[in-house]
Amino acid sequence: MRVVIAGGHGKIALLLQRHLVGRGDTAVGLIRNPEQTATLRAAGLIRNPEQTATLRAAGATPVVCDLEHTPPEQVAEHLHGADAVVFAAGAGPGSGAARKDSVDRAAAALLADAATRAGVHRYLLVSSMGVDTPPAPGTDDVWAAYLRAKRAAEDDLRGRDLAWTVLRPGRLTDDPPIGRVTLTPHAGSGAISRTDVAHVLAALLDEPRSTGATLELVDGPTPIAEAIRAAAR
């Protein structure tokens, strides 16, 4: 399976890439910073040891593609031959409300446009819990913008002729994975390790019956494979 992952330098994306390559798939990570790509392509030169070394060790193929400034027809060129795309990008800490919209909403839609052009039908969107209700009065403006952007990205994807699945993780941690989760449309509050999120994403790629599902994800009692089967039913 060839999987193209937007936000290829993010924590979840790196873990997903490593997992996919480890099981024999091809992972392509779309990254924004051209300097990172030049470093990856230059033998022995590592500008950002933490990020670049991880990509290289994972065997992922990094491709520079800024989804905020690249038209969909150009993005589509990187998707030809892919079996699926995963949107795991985000504006990240320290970004303002405008970038929450331009990345978490608009870039997700652009990737969907590009996938349609390239004939890639499988699309996994990493969203967030808490997007079903409007932000409460007094909510931080940037956090409110993030939630609105994620919900808008979901709504846009649901209106497309793609084999989509929306995954809403709970509070993300860097804890070791436990391999047991709660994966349902309404999982309740809770946390989940980024590694377990990556493993669930990979399992969803293998389960076509999860198409059209919006699933919340937190730590739980059920092994991932069993949780995927139950959610697919």
Side-chain angles (χ1 to χ4, degrees):
M1 181 183 296
R2 181 179 179 85
V3 183
V4 179
I5 303 157
H9 61 84
K11 290 183 178 181
I12 290 174
L14 288 170
L15 291 164
L16 177 57
Q17 288 162 179
R18 184 182 299 117
H19 183 63
L20 290 173
V21 171
R23 68 181 199 177
D25 293 322
T26 299
V28 178
L30 303 183
I31 57 177
R32 181 174 61 89
N33 190 338
E35 293 185 1
Q36 294 169 351
T37 300
T39 301
L40 285 165
R41 290 176 175 169
L45 296 178
I46 299 178
R47 186 181 184 86
N48 185 332
E50 180 179 357
Q51 199 170 95
T52 306
T54 306
L55 276 168
R56 290 180 66 182
T61 302
V63 173
V64 62
C65 182
D66 186 348
L67 294 179
E68 289 182 273
H69 301 102
T70 305
E73 59 270 18
Q74 291 185 21
V75 178
E77 294 176 5
H78 303 302
L79 307 187
H80 288 297
D83 298 289
V85 297
V86 178
F87 187 84
S95 58
R99 288 207 70 227
K100 300 302 184 190
D101 182 73
S102 64
V103 177
D104 293 275
R105 178 197 62 80
L110 185 142
L111 184 66
D113 288 339
T116 299
R117 287 172 178 266
V120 181
H121 298 292
R122 191 72 172 108
Y123 187 122
L124 268 59
L125 173 69
V126 181
S127 185
S128 174
M129 292 177 67
V131 303
D132 280 333
T133 56
T139 300
D140 174 77
D141 289 344
V142 174
W143 179 248
Y146 169 79
L147 293 176
R148 286 193 294 267
K150 286 296 188 187
R151 179 53 192 256
E154 290 187 10
D155 290 344
D156 173 84
L157 189 58
R158 292 188 186 101
R160 294 176 181 269
D161 186 21
L162 292 170
W164 56 264
T165 303
V166 173
L167 183 66
R168 297 173 171 175
R171 180 175 57 83
L172 296 169
T173 76
D174 292 320
D175 295 339
I178 61 173
R180 293 178 176 270
V181 300
T182 295
L183 181 69
T184 64
H186 305 286
S189 61
I192 184 76
S193 77
R194 289 178 172 87
T195 303
D196 277 328
V197 174
H199 291 176
V200 167
L201 286 168
L204 287 171
L205 288 170
D206 296 333
E207 180 47 85
R209 293 178 301 165
S210 65
T211 294
T214 299
L215 301 168
E216 296 185 349
L217 174 66
V218 294
D219 287 340
T222 308
I224 288 174
E226 182 180 334
I228 295 288
R229 287 194 296 269
R233 290 198 298 268

